[in-house]
């Protein structure tokens, strides 16, 4: 492979390839800006020391964010294939860190997301089981929950919706909790409340922890009325 200048590699090849790859990972984005740093001899070997990105709006698997600003380091890609016009691929897992801002309107827009719908249903089932109030079979997982409203307060997040069982009986349901960090891998829910009627037992839990797994680390979580800000590190796998 002939050596090309760094500006040419970045401006003509890498930047468009990375933008195309990012857009393939996202459902939508506005004002996406990318900055790439690296020396010529590093980049021609497919090694990018640093990439930073910022966007005014980003949607990932139906989850909306008003602002995102992230940076990734020590990135290895399939540059020979990219130079031949093939899609960019990561060759190794990379650590990406930065900030994401979630406004209340974002959370509301994210409610139809299958990712959020599944997470909320799983959380609801787990909370009910943890309180020793699991409903009789069929389980809650067999029922339909249509989350309709979301609210972000200074230290609490609340969801309201409609739960429908297999007999097509429907009733209102509410789920709310104060939200904080237990540690960088664990979210702590406290003063948890499920407000429902006969279909789902109402309950109150003093505290419940959610393990985020090893691929996600949150260093800062701040709640303000109508807004959540996160400082987070994520392992992005090939």
């Amino acid at each position: 492979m002939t050596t090309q200048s760094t500006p040419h590699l970045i401006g003509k090849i890498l930047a468009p390839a990375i933008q195309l790859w990012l857009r393939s990972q996202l459902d939508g984005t506005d004002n996406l800006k990318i900055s790439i740093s690296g020396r010529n001899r590093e980049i021609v070997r497919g090694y990018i020391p640093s990439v930073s990105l910022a966007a005014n709006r980003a949607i990932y698997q139906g989850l909306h964010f008003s602002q995102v600003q992230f940076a990734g380091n020590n990135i290895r890609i399939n540059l020979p294939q990219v130079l031949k016009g093939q899609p960019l691929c990561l060759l190794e897992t990379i650590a990406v860190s930065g900030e994401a801002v979630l406004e209340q309107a974002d959370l509301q827009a994210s409610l139809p997301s299958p990712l959020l719908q599944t997470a909320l249903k799983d959380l609801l089932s787990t909370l009910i089981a943890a309180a020793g109030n699991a409903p009789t079979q069929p389980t809650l997982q067999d029922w339909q929950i249509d989350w309709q409203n979301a609210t972000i307060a200074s230290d609490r997040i609340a969801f309201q919706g409609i739960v429908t069982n297999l007999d097509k009986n429907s009733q209102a349901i509410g789920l709310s909790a104060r939200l904080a960090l237990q540690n960088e891998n664990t979210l702590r829910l406290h003063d948890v409340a499920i407000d429902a009627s006969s279909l789902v037992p109402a309950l109150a839990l003093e505290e419940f922890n959610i393990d985020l797994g090893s691929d996600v680390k949150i260093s800062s979580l701040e709640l303000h009325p109508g807004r959540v800000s996160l400082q987070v590190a994520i392992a992005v796998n090939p």
Side-chain angles (χ1 to χ4, degrees):
M1 181 178 65
T2 59
T3 300
Q4 303 180 59
S5 68
T6 301
H8 178 76
L9 280 173
I10 293 176
K12 301 297 184 181
I13 300 171
L14 275 184
I18 291 175
Q19 283 212 18
L20 183 62
W21 181 81
L22 285 170
R23 293 185 188 280
S24 74
Q25 306 299 306
L26 299 171
D27 300 327
T29 183
D30 289 340
N31 299 322
L32 177 63
K33 297 179 180 179
I34 296 174
S35 176
I36 303 169
S37 67
R39 297 177 181 178
N40 186 56
R41 63 176 178 269
E42 294 172 322
I43 292 177
V44 296
R45 294 199 303 267
Y47 172 72
I48 307 173
S50 176
V51 173
S52 62
L53 67 93
N56 290 342
R57 180 185 68 94
I59 307 172
Y60 175 72
Q61 294 189 21
L63 302 178
H64 293 238
F65 297 90
S66 288
Q67 299 174 35
V68 293
Q69 188 168 350
F70 283 89
N73 300 313
N74 301 320
I75 302 165
R76 298 189 183 277
I77 63 170
N78 59 330
L79 184 61
Q81 288 74 31
V82 171
L83 292 173
K84 296 177 183 179
Q86 297 180 26
L88 181 146
C89 294
L90 296 177
L91 300 181
E92 298 177 359
T93 299
I94 61 172
V96 176
S97 61
E99 180 180 8
V101 175
L102 178 74
E103 305 280 355
Q104 182 164 304
D106 300 324
L107 187 57
Q108 184 71 34
S110 301
L111 287 179
S113 163
L115 195 65
L116 183 57
Q117 291 272 344
T118 299
L120 287 173
K121 180 180 280 189
D122 289 346
L123 175 60
L124 192 62
S125 297
T126 302
L127 291 171
I128 291 172
N133 293 326
T136 57
Q137 296 294 328
T139 68
L140 186 65
Q141 291 293 338
D142 298 309
W143 301 355
Q144 175 67 37
I145 303 178
D146 179 21
W147 297 104
Q148 299 176 333
N149 293 291
T151 305
I152 302 174
S154 59
D155 63 349
R156 177 178 290 270
I157 293 181
F159 299 90
Q160 295 81 38
I162 301 293
V163 57
T164 303
N165 65 11
L166 294 181
D167 294 328
K168 306 302 181 182
N169 296 317
S170 298
Q171 292 178 356
I173 186 171
L175 170 63
S176 66
R178 297 183 185 275
L179 185 63
L181 282 178
Q182 181 76 9
N183 55 55
E184 63 182 11
N185 295 112
T186 309
L187 285 176
R188 180 166 60 92
L189 307 181
H190 55 113
D191 294 339
V192 183
I194 296 177
D195 181 16
S197 48
S198 60
L199 290 183
V200 179
L203 65 84
L205 282 176
E206 182 177 343
E207 184 174 317
F208 186 82
N209 291 334
I210 300 176
D211 186 354
L212 301 174
S214 59
D215 287 344
V216 178
K217 296 181 179 180
I218 300 177
S219 58
S220 174
L221 172 66
E222 296 183 1
L223 273 72
H224 305 279
R227 186 172 184 264
V228 179
S229 296
L230 296 170
Q231 292 282 348
V232 60
I234 303 170
V236 179
N237 298 308

